[in-house]
Amino acid sequence: DVKVTQSSRYLVKRTGEKVFLECVQDMDHENMFWYRQDPGLGLRLIYFSYDVKMKEKGDIPEGYSVSREKKERFSLILESASTNQTSMYLCASTPLIGLNYGYTFGSGTRLTVV
Amino acid sequence: GENVEQHPSTLSVQEGDSAVIKCTYSDSASNYFPWYKQELGKRPQLIIDIRSNVGEKKDQRIAVTLNKTAKHFSLHITETQPEDSAVYFCAASTYGQNFVFGPGTRLSVLP
């Protein structure tokens, strides 16, 4: 019963390429998030969105952009991939209101930039 | 803004022993504190959470305690089993918004 789906599990891209990471959720959640996960650094927030066409910068937005044209889909874009963007990328969603605050995470995309 | 610290970064216990992971937070407005377990190669999964109106919550072998005055909360796992081996993340949030995660604790349960 996968509820947050990331389109790719593993990706290898070349330096300078434009990279798209896709995330889709089927829970009608308003909030969606993109994190990167690096050893010793935990989960760091890149961008988040509270509504369609709305986006907010997280803690490390440099080198990234996002797109949310539909409620269920939140895309992370690496405009010009660099080796320091090699990482595990996790998408997550939560409802805007309600008692269940907990994140639902996707399975992650391990991106390697060579 | 909120800052969440988590200790220890690694923890090894013998099977059957207890494990305790502690987190501290800085923002007194935080009122929701979830814990996530991430097994190797898998997504983080919510295992337990606590809200600021309670001091302790238990679910079978796992429990979480919260001390609002001291701004710290802890995860307790009793009777540990090899399948408890994973990375555990704590987080602090205000009404489910603005989550801030701790850096994680790698727990190894030794047979």
Side-chain angles (χ1 to χ4, degrees):
Chain A
D1 60 340
V2 175
K3 294 181 170 61
V4 178
T5 303
Q6 293 183 229
S7 55
S8 302
R9 187 90 168 123
Y10 299 95
L11 274 179
V12 180
K13 296 292 182 180
R14 296 193 179 278
T15 300
E17 277 193 78
K18 190 169 186 176
V19 181
F20 293 86
L21 303 184
E22 305 287 344
C23 176
V24 177
Q25 51 93 6
D26 63 0
M27 297 169 289
D28 202 35
H29 285 173
E30 289 79 8
N31 303 333
M32 296 188 75
F33 306 83
W34 274 106
Y35 286 86
R36 65 177 282 177
Q37 184 176 24
D38 300 288
L41 298 177
L43 292 159
R44 292 182 292 167
L45 182 62
I46 305 171
Y47 266 97
F48 60 99
S49 169
Y50 288 143
D51 200 354
V52 175
K53 296 191 185 295
M54 179 272 184
K55 59 185 178 184
E56 292 286 344
K57 293 180 180 179
D59 299 321
I60 51 165
E62 295 78 21
Y64 303 95
S65 63
V66 290
S67 172
R68 192 156 181 211
E69 295 298 317
K70 294 184 178 181
K71 188 177 184 180
E72 66 269 20
R73 185 180 298 271
F74 192 36
S75 303
L76 179 69
I77 304 157
L78 285 67
E79 299 290 343
S80 177
S82 63
T83 55
N84 62 11
Q85 292 179 309
T86 292
S87 185
M88 169 68 84
Y89 291 86
L90 285 164
C91 174
S93 70
T94 65
L96 183 61
I97 58 174
L99 299 178
N100 181 17
Y101 293 153
Y103 275 23
T104 300
F105 283 95
S107 296
T109 296
R110 184 165 294 282
L111 173 68
T112 302
V113 181
V114 298
Chain B
E2 177 65 278
N3 180 51
V4 177
E5 297 184 356
Q6 184 173 346
H7 299 281
S9 56
T10 60
L11 178 61
S12 293
V13 299
Q14 291 294 135
E15 184 176 354
D17 287 349
S18 295
V20 180
I21 302 170
K22 298 180 180 179
C23 287
T24 61
Y25 62 99
S26 60
D27 189 350
S28 56
S30 292
N31 59 4
Y32 174 68
F33 307 94
W35 285 90
Y36 291 84
K37 174 184 180 182
Q38 186 176 25
E39 296 176 76
L40 188 62
K42 296 187 177 180
R43 72 187 75 194
Q45 299 237 344
L46 178 68
I47 56 171
I48 197 168
D49 56 14
I50 192 166
R51 297 165 196 262
S52 58
N53 58 345
V54 299
E56 183 173 0
K57 184 177 178 181
K58 191 173 182 180
D59 182 3
Q60 299 182 349
R61 294 187 298 107
I62 60 173
V64 57
T65 58
L66 171 65
N67 183 326
K68 283 178 59 180
T69 303
K71 296 198 190 71
H72 67 72
F73 56 110
S74 299
L75 178 70
H76 304 254
I77 307 174
T78 58
E79 301 172 20
T80 53
Q81 300 168 4
E83 53 265 36
D84 294 328
S85 295
V87 176
Y88 292 81
F89 293 96
C90 64
S93 165
T94 306
Y95 294 108
Q97 308 298 320
N98 303 318
F99 278 77
V100 177
F101 286 87
T105 296
R106 183 174 298 280
L107 173 65
S108 299
V109 179
L110 308 174

